[in-house]
Amino acid sequence: EVVRTVPGVADTAVVGKPHDVLGEVPVAYVVPGPDGFDPAHVLATCRERLSYFKVPDAVYETAEVPRTASGKIRRHLLLEQPARLLAAGSGHYENIYRIDWVRPGSLPPTSDEDWAVVGTDVVDVAAGLEATGARVETYAALSDLHEAVDRGTMVPDVAVWRCPGDPGDVDRFGGAVHDVTDDVARRLRTWLDDERFAGTRLVVVLQGVPGSEDSDEMRGLSHAPLWGWAASARTRHPGRLSFVLADPGETGDEWGTALREIVAAGEPRSAVRSGVALVPRLARVSATTGELSNTELNPNGTVLVTGAAELPAAAIARRLVATRGARHMALLSPAGEDDEAAAQLKADLVEDGSEVVLVACDPADRQALETILTGLEHPVTAVVHVQEASAGTSEPGAADMSIVDGALNLHELTQDADVSLFVLATTASGIPAAGDGSVAGSFFAALAHHRRVRGLPAVAVSWGAWETETENGHGTAGAETLSVSEGLAVFEGALTAGPASLVALRLDMPAWRAAAAQRAVPELLRALLGLPAGPAAAGTAATDEWRRRLTAVADDDQLALVSELVRTQVANMMGLAGAGSVGPELAFRDLGFTSMTAVELRNRLGGVTGLALPVTLAFDYPNSAALARHLRTELVGGHEVVAVKPVSAVPADYDPIAIVGMSCRFPGGVSSPEELWDLVSGGVDAIGEFPDDRGWDLDG
C-alpha cells in the first residue's frame, strides 16, 4: 500500500526474494502508469513510512503483476517474468562482485635467499632487492640463467622475470597478443621442464596497473591471457610460479620489499603499485541507493548476440526484446539455423515482434564476421558476446586464443559504430576454487578496460553456471547454480554497477564460513568472508589481538578505538568518505540500511574481530555508538567474574519441548494440547477415513 501512494504507480507487488542468511528480502515490482514513476521516490517513501527491514531491496519495472482469480499475487510467476532493474535499496548488488586489491598478510620474508633478476632494464629491481639484504644476480634472458646453471652457478631460490613489453595502442592487437602469449608460454614450458629449477619460484612480472579508476585489470592486452592462466598454472605447478602486475615505471627500493612480501605470501597473482605489494580479493559491488542509470538501446539499430544456442545468451536476447525494446536482432551460433535451440530462440523473438537474423558464425573468423556485419540492414548498435571459457590447460592453447580473437574482432569491427552497449560474458569456471583460471575472463576484463579508457562502452562479466548448464558438466567450483532470473538480474546489474569488469556468483557464504574453520579457503574469498588478507590465524587470534589492544589503553580510548572500527566499516559499506562521515548517534536506518546491509555489517565486524555476532546485530544496536559499546563489552567485558546462581545439571538425554500456542484440528479425538501430546507420546494411530461431506470424488 505504501508503494501505491507514489505518483505514477499503476500497480505494484512486494514479494519476498530468497536470501541465504535472512531467508527472504522484500523486492518491489511496479507497473508504471502512462507518465511513468520515479523509482528513487518509491524507496524514499518506503524508508520514511516503513521499518527499514521492510524497505524493498530493489525496485523493478514490470509489464503486469500476475494474480489468481481471487486477486492473490502469483509470486513464482512474478519472479520469473521479465523485469527491469530500476533502483537498488541495499548497499550492494546481489551475486555481483568486483576485484579489490589489498595488502597481503604480514609474513616475514626469508632473510637468507638467493635471487636472480632476468630481463632488460632490471637494474632498479636488482638494487631494490639488494637493499633488503637479498643476494642478487642479473641475467639478460632466461636462457642466460639456464646456461649459468649449466656452468655450475648455484640455482637461485627465487627468479624474477619481466615479460616482453606490450605493443601499446595499435590498430590490430590479434597478432601481438598471439606472439607475446606464444613466446612467454614457450619460455615457461622450458623453465618448468627443467627439474633443476623445481625448488625455485619464478615470479613473472606483467604490465598492468591494479586499482585503476574503473577496472582492476591489465593495462597490456597482450599479457592478459597470461594473467588469466596464472591461477591454473599454480594448481598444476604448486610453489613454482607467481604472476605480478606492475607498471613499467615501478622503480626504487620499495620494489625489493614488495617482491619479497609477494614471495612470502605465496599467492599465484599479486601486484605492485607505488612500491606496495597487493593481492586480489573479491568484494561486493556497492549500489548507489536510489535510481540507477540504465543503458538505452537504439530502436533503429541491431543488437548482435553471440552464443545464441546457449542458455545465458538466449535468456538475455529475450530480455532485451521484452524490456528494452530491441527490434532488430542478429544471432550468431556455431550451427546457425541447424541448431534447434538457436532456431527456437529466433522463432520466439519473431513472435515477440522483433526482426531476427540467425547466422552460423564463429566470431574468431574475422572475414565471416565482417561480411555479416556489413550485410545487416540496420547497423549494429549493441553487442552481447557470450562465450564459454575453455577448460584450464597447462598453458594458453588454441581454444583460448580463438576466444581472444573473437572478442578482438567484435571490438575492432564495431569500435567506429555508434554502439551504446558492449557486453563480454564468460563462465567463471575457476572462481573461487582457483581464482579465475579463465583466459577468456581475464582477457575480456582487460578489453573492457581498454575500451573504457578510450571512451567506448564496455563491461565484462565472469559468471557462474546457469541453471541447466550443470547438467552438461559446466559447474562452477564452490558456487551454487544461478537460476535464469538470477542470471538476468546479474546482467541488468552489470549494466548499471559501474566497474568495467565484474564477477557474478551465487556463493554459499554460510558454507564457506563453516569451511574456513576447518580448512584453508581460496585467497579470493578471504576478504569477503571477513578473514585476514594472508594465511591468517583463526578468529580467536583476531579476538585476542583486539583484546590486547583494548586492555592496553584507558576505558575511553577503548571505546574510541572500537567506534572508529564500526564507523569505518559502515562508511566503506555505504560508499561514504570515511569514518568521519558516520555520526556516532546517526541511526543506521537513516543511512539507508536494509536487512542485507545489516547482515553485511555483521559479517565485516565478525571477520575483523573474530567474534561470533548475531544476524540481528544492527537491529539490536541501531547506531554506531550503541554497536561500539556492545563490541567493547564483548571484547573486554567478558573477562569480568560474574557471580551466578548454581544450577542443577541437566541430563544429557533431556530434551524439553514447550508448546507455547496452537490452533489446530486433528483426527483421533484431539481437542487440546494435552491430548495432542498424549497422542504423539503414545504412538496412537490417528489415521481415519476420508471425510464424506466435502464434495470430493472419492471413487475417482
Side-chain angles (χ1 to χ4, degrees):
E1 294 305 318
V2 172
V3 177
R4 290 181 188 278
T5 65
V6 176
V9 173
D11 194 9
T12 185
V14 178
V15 299
K17 183 175 65 173
H19 186 265
D20 290 338
V21 177
L22 299 171
E24 286 187 337
V25 292
V27 175
Y29 288 83
V30 177
V31 178
D35 298 326
F37 71 101
D38 182 358
H41 191 181
V42 171
L43 291 176
T45 302
C46 290
R47 291 193 191 95
E48 180 181 345
R49 298 176 56 182
L50 298 173
S51 301
Y52 65 85
F53 58 85
K54 295 182 180 179
V55 174
D57 181 62
V59 177
Y60 288 87
E61 178 185 321
T62 189
E64 64 174 342
V65 175
R67 288 184 168 87
T68 64
S70 62
K72 292 183 178 179
I73 297 168
R74 304 179 72 176
R75 176 177 177 272
H76 293 294
L77 289 179
L78 180 61
L79 292 174
E80 292 171 1
Q81 74 181 22
R84 183 176 179 181
L85 177 65
L86 294 184
S90 66
H92 301 94
Y93 289 95
E94 186 177 10
N95 301 328
I96 302 180
Y97 305 90
R98 59 184 169 81
I99 299 294
D100 235 354
W101 292 90
V102 301
R103 293 295 307 273
S106 55
L107 295 175
T110 304
S111 58
D112 188 24
E113 290 176 326
D114 290 301
W115 287 63
V117 179
V118 182
T120 58
D121 191 25
V122 294
V123 175
D124 288 325
V125 179
L129 286 167
E130 288 174 341
T132 68
R135 297 185 295 272
V136 182
E137 295 290 338
T138 59
Y139 302 90
L142 283 175
S143 58
D144 294 335
L145 174 56
H146 283 271
E147 292 173 2
V149 173
D150 290 341
R151 294 192 300 268
T153 299
M154 184 177 296
V155 175
D157 299 301
V158 184
V160 180
W161 176 43
R162 263 191 165 162
C163 277
D166 189 76
D169 186 11
V170 296
D171 292 335
R172 290 286 304 277
F173 292 102
V177 173
H178 279 267
D179 291 345
V180 172
T181 302
D182 291 346
D183 178 58
V184 172
R186 176 181 55 79
R187 299 190 198 202
L188 290 180
R189 184 168 58 249
T190 301
W191 174 273
L192 294 169
D193 288 344
D194 193 331
E195 294 184 358
R196 296 175 300 175
F197 296 104
T200 300
R201 178 181 290 275
L202 178 62
V203 180
V204 182
V205 182
L206 308 175
Q207 288 189 25
V209 184
S212 54
E213 181 178 353
D214 60 355
S215 173
D216 296 326
E217 290 296 336
M218 302 287 301
R219 169 188 286 177
L221 283 177
S222 65
H223 287 175
L226 299 167
W227 182 249
W229 174 62
S232 59
R234 194 277 294 265
T235 302
R236 295 172 182 275
H237 309 284
R240 296 196 62 185
L241 291 173
S242 293
F243 289 76
V244 180
L245 281 183
D247 189 290
E250 289 282 355
T251 58
D253 294 348
E254 296 88 353
W255 240 114
T257 302
L259 286 175
R260 300 195 75 176
E261 286 182 4
I262 286 169
V263 171
E267 299 207 18
R269 305 195 296 183
S270 51
V272 176
R273 183 175 65 201
S274 302
V276 177
L278 301 169
V279 292
R281 295 291 183 263
L282 283 184
R284 296 186 185 277
V285 176
S286 296
T288 303
T289 303
E291 188 172 358
L292 303 173
S293 59
N294 277 276
T295 304
E296 297 296 336
L297 297 181
N298 181 347
N300 297 317
T302 296
V303 178
L304 177 68
V305 179
T306 70
E310 303 300 325
L311 174 64
I316 290 170
R318 290 187 172 95
R319 170 59 60 90
L320 293 175
V321 170
T323 67
R324 291 181 178 266
R327 291 294 170 260
H328 310 285
M329 304 289 292
L331 307 178
L332 304 187
S333 75
E337 295 280 0
D338 293 334
D339 188 290
E340 183 178 347
Q344 182 61 54
L345 172 62
K346 175 184 176 181
D348 292 343
L349 298 182
V350 169
E351 185 177 349
D352 289 339
S354 181
E355 296 179 2
V356 184
V357 175
L358 173 58
V359 185
C361 178
D362 180 353
D365 185 339
R366 184 184 179 91
Q367 183 175 353
L369 180 62
E370 187 170 10
T371 300
I372 292 169
L373 296 180
T374 55
L376 293 173
E377 181 179 354
H378 302 274
V380 170
T381 55
V383 176
V384 178
H385 180 43
V386 181
Q387 173 71 60
E388 179 187 338
S390 62
T393 56
S394 58
E395 61 187 56
D400 295 306
M401 301 317 294
S402 176
I403 292 172
V404 168
D405 289 342
L408 277 175
N409 288 340
L410 287 167
H411 157 65
E412 292 171 349
L413 294 175
T414 64
Q415 63 182 332
D416 295 328
D418 186 16
V419 171
S420 62
L421 181 72
F422 194 94
V423 179
L424 300 162
T426 186
T427 49
S429 56
I431 300 173
D436 188 11
S438 159
V439 169
S442 288
F443 187 79
F444 284 7
L447 180 57
H449 175 61
H450 175 87
R451 288 178 59 90
R452 284 278 189 99
V453 298
R454 287 158 179 78
L456 301 173
V459 61
V461 187
S462 292
W463 50 38
W466 283 40
E467 215 167 43
T468 58
E469 288 182 294
T470 51
E471 298 175 7
N472 300 321
H474 303 309
T476 301
E480 297 182 5
T481 304
L482 289 167
S483 68
V484 172
S485 60
E486 288 170 333
L488 290 173
V490 163
F491 174 74
E492 293 280 0
L495 300 183
T496 61
S501 58
L502 298 163
V503 177
L505 296 170
R506 187 167 181 259
L507 297 173
D508 185 348
M509 300 307 292
W512 277 112
R513 290 191 182 91
Q518 305 295 327
R519 58 181 173 84
V521 300
E523 294 94 344
L524 274 177
L525 293 184
R526 298 193 67 86
L528 203 60
L529 296 172
L531 301 175
T540 53
T543 306
D544 290 343
E545 172 62 18
W546 268 98
R547 284 174 175 157
R548 184 194 64 76
R549 290 176 61 186
L550 295 178
T551 54
V553 299
D555 289 353
D556 290 345
D557 293 332
Q558 290 178 357
L559 194 57
L561 281 173
V562 180
S563 177
E564 179 75 12
L565 166 67
V566 172
R567 291 187 293 131
T568 297
Q569 294 295 335
V570 171
N572 290 342
M573 265 180 42
M574 305 307 292
L576 302 175
S581 59
V582 181
E585 303 294 336
L586 181 61
F588 293 143
R589 169 175 177 161
D590 294 337
L591 286 169
F593 263 50
T594 65
S595 298
M596 295 182 70
T597 46
V599 172
E600 174 69 11
L601 180 60
R602 185 281 303 260
N603 294 344
R604 286 174 175 248
L605 292 175
V608 172
T609 64
L611 295 172
L613 300 171
V615 175
T616 58
L617 186 71
F619 297 92
D620 299 334
Y621 306 95
N623 59 47
S624 298
L627 183 49
R629 288 192 293 269
H630 170 69
L631 292 180
R632 176 185 171 278
T633 300
E634 289 290 304
L635 288 165
V636 297
H639 295 293
E640 298 174 0
V641 178
V642 180
V644 297
K645 285 185 175 182
V647 296
S648 57
V650 177
D653 60 350
Y654 178 69
D655 189 12
I657 298 176
I659 301 177
V660 298
M662 62 183 295
S663 175
C664 55
R665 181 176 180 178
F666 289 103
V670 171
S671 60
S672 69
E674 291 79 10
E675 292 178 1
L676 174 61
W677 183 251
D678 290 339
L679 182 146
V680 174
S681 62
V684 177
D685 183 359
I687 298 176
E689 297 295 327
F690 274 98
D692 58 7
D693 59 349
R694 307 288 177 87
W696 297 340
D697 182 8
L698 300 182
D699 295 331

